[in-house]
Amino acid sequence: MADDYVRRTAITRLSIDGEQRDLLEDTITEWKRGCQIATDLAWGHCNTRSDVQPLAYDSVRENTDLGSQHAILATHQAAQAITGCIERQSKGKKVSKPTFTAPTVKYDTRTMTVFDDDTVSLSTTKSRVRCPLDLPDDDDGYQRQYLDSDEWSVTESTLTARGGEFFLHIGFRRYKNDTERNTAEDGTVLGVDLGIENLAVTSTASFFSGRELTHRLREFETVRAGLQQTGTRSAHRTLVRSSGRELRYVRDVLHRASNVLIDEALRYDCDVIAFENLTHIRDRTGASWGHKWAFRTLYEQVEYKAESVGISVKQVGSAYTSKRCSECGFTADENRPSRNDFRCMKCGSQANADYNAAKNIGMRYVRRSQQSSRRTGDSQLALKSGTVTPKSGFTAYPDGFEAEFTDKPHPPRARPSGRAK
């Protein structure tokens, strides 16, 4: 059973040539098509692997270039996505048919083999490719604790394309010991801060601007107030039309923002997306009623989309996340000289205030895992250039996966629009 295992992921870049690149790109394209075909056929009819596979397998094989095992895996992926939607629907929430756009493809032990010489063989739409894992030169890279261990075995993995490179998220598992049984929700955590200037900022330094949304909400509120004051039937009809346009616009923004957050969680192989508690977010941020509704709706959209890809969405306490230094932990009002800037009065760390808060939110969930008797305490926070835990500190990603900026204090510098440290 899955609950009997501890699961971990080791990310490594692949060293590939031009022909191998083409084959892997074709495989990703066909994988997305296969998942969509299976979902289209099963949607509204069935959701278990045992039902979706016989229903959709032949169609996936006939209409894609996927091999037999990858066609099976595509039907399983569709089943998982549909199941997530059904679970959300059972809670009284609206759902829509899943779509597959992420540049990824699943592998299992039949479609992938990791060899002792640090190479991997991957099935593609035409033939297998064998290429080296681009591991650190020394033997202390974090991947070694899994690759060189007899205790850990390779399991389902994910190939993802990013920035012209291919990264293999190799899945490993081992049996839980007695003290680890019945634990849950350990793994990699993506912290998310919600706000007005930036609608959403992640601990991996992904920024989704809120400026346009704020501007449009204010415009809508001004128009609404004027029409309500007029009070005529014509004004009422105009108000109804205006409210409909407002709702459609905001929902479109939130749909795009939620997709960004899900893609970020998938890109960094996160198991949990952690938000701050939304109960008093209007008081903390000075947000309008429209913003409060938008925050809640965004959370709900992320929640149901995350369910379809096996990611948990949680809330943590919001106290002092905006005033606490994510580097040294020092907390003071003076650390926030302005809405957008964070400057620690103790260690001198400087960062975008929302980004600092996102790391604090994610780390609060990580620390919570250490205090829970039901979990192993093995959670780690995803940053742009690596991961961090309270015990082990910072661990960098492999070369090629490193962030544009480091997650360490740095002197003031010009910041590109939409990105900040």
Side-chain angles (χ1 to χ4, degrees), residues 3-181:
D3 288 344
D4 291 333
Y5 294 100
V6 175
R7 298 177 184 273
R8 292 290 178 267
T9 302
I11 305 172
T12 180
R13 185 175 59 181
L14 300 182
S15 295
I16 57 174
D17 59 31
E19 182 179 356
Q20 292 172 332
R21 179 185 301 276
D22 292 341
L23 288 172
L24 293 176
E25 287 177 347
D26 288 344
T27 304
I28 288 176
T29 298
E30 294 301 289
W31 166 261
K32 291 188 292 185
R33 182 180 298 146
C35 292
Q36 197 63 59
I37 290 171
T39 299
D40 292 345
L41 289 171
W43 182 251
H45 300 287
C46 57
N47 69 296
T48 64
R49 288 186 175 188
S50 59
D51 289 333
V52 178
Q53 181 176 327
L55 173 68
Y57 173 81
D58 288 342
S59 293
V60 173
R61 287 284 280 154
E62 291 171 3
N63 294 282
T64 72
D65 293 329
L66 294 177
S68 58
Q69 185 61 20
H70 259 141
I72 292 173
L73 293 176
T75 66
H76 293 176
Q77 186 76 9
Q80 179 183 344
I82 296 171
T83 297
C85 291
I86 292 174
E87 291 174 351
R88 179 179 177 273
Q89 192 173 41
S90 69
K91 299 176 183 178
K93 300 178 181 179
K94 294 182 179 180
V95 300
S96 58
K97 184 171 63 177
T99 56
F100 297 85
T101 59
T104 63
V105 57
K106 293 285 187 180
Y107 281 89
D108 63 3
T109 53
R110 293 186 179 184
T111 53
M112 180 188 78
T113 304
V114 178
F115 295 97
D116 292 338
D117 63 354
D118 296 334
T119 62
V120 62
S121 173
L122 300 170
S123 294
T124 70
T125 51
K126 293 183 178 179
S127 61
R128 277 189 171 248
V129 299
R130 184 166 177 172
C131 53
L133 300 172
D134 192 1
L135 297 167
D137 292 334
D138 51 27
D139 292 333
D140 59 0
Y142 81 101
Q143 300 95 335
R144 287 294 178 195
Q145 64 183 300
Y146 308 114
L147 289 168
D148 297 343
S149 173
D150 293 333
E151 186 180 20
W152 293 91
S153 59
V154 175
T155 184
E156 189 171 276
S157 305
T158 303
L159 178 72
T160 181
R162 181 187 178 202
E165 302 282 356
F166 286 86
F167 293 86
L168 188 61
H169 297 237
I170 309 175
F172 292 89
R173 71 180 185 182
R174 64 167 173 79
Y175 279 108
K176 291 179 179 179
N177 57 42
D178 291 340
T179 61
E180 293 172 334
R181 297 193 181 278

Side-chain angles (χ1 to χ4, degrees), residues 201-220:
V201 180
T202 71
S203 59
T204 53
S206 176
F207 285 67
F208 192 96
S209 176
R211 292 180 181 178
E212 182 182 352
L213 176 63
T214 298
H215 176 70
R216 293 289 293 271
L217 284 175
R218 287 173 179 168
E219 284 188 337
F220 285 134

Side-chain angles (χ1 to χ4, degrees), residues 223-236:
V223 170
R224 185 186 302 112
L227 292 171
Q228 288 174 337
Q229 187 174 12
T230 301
T232 64
R233 288 187 178 182
S234 175
H236 176 72

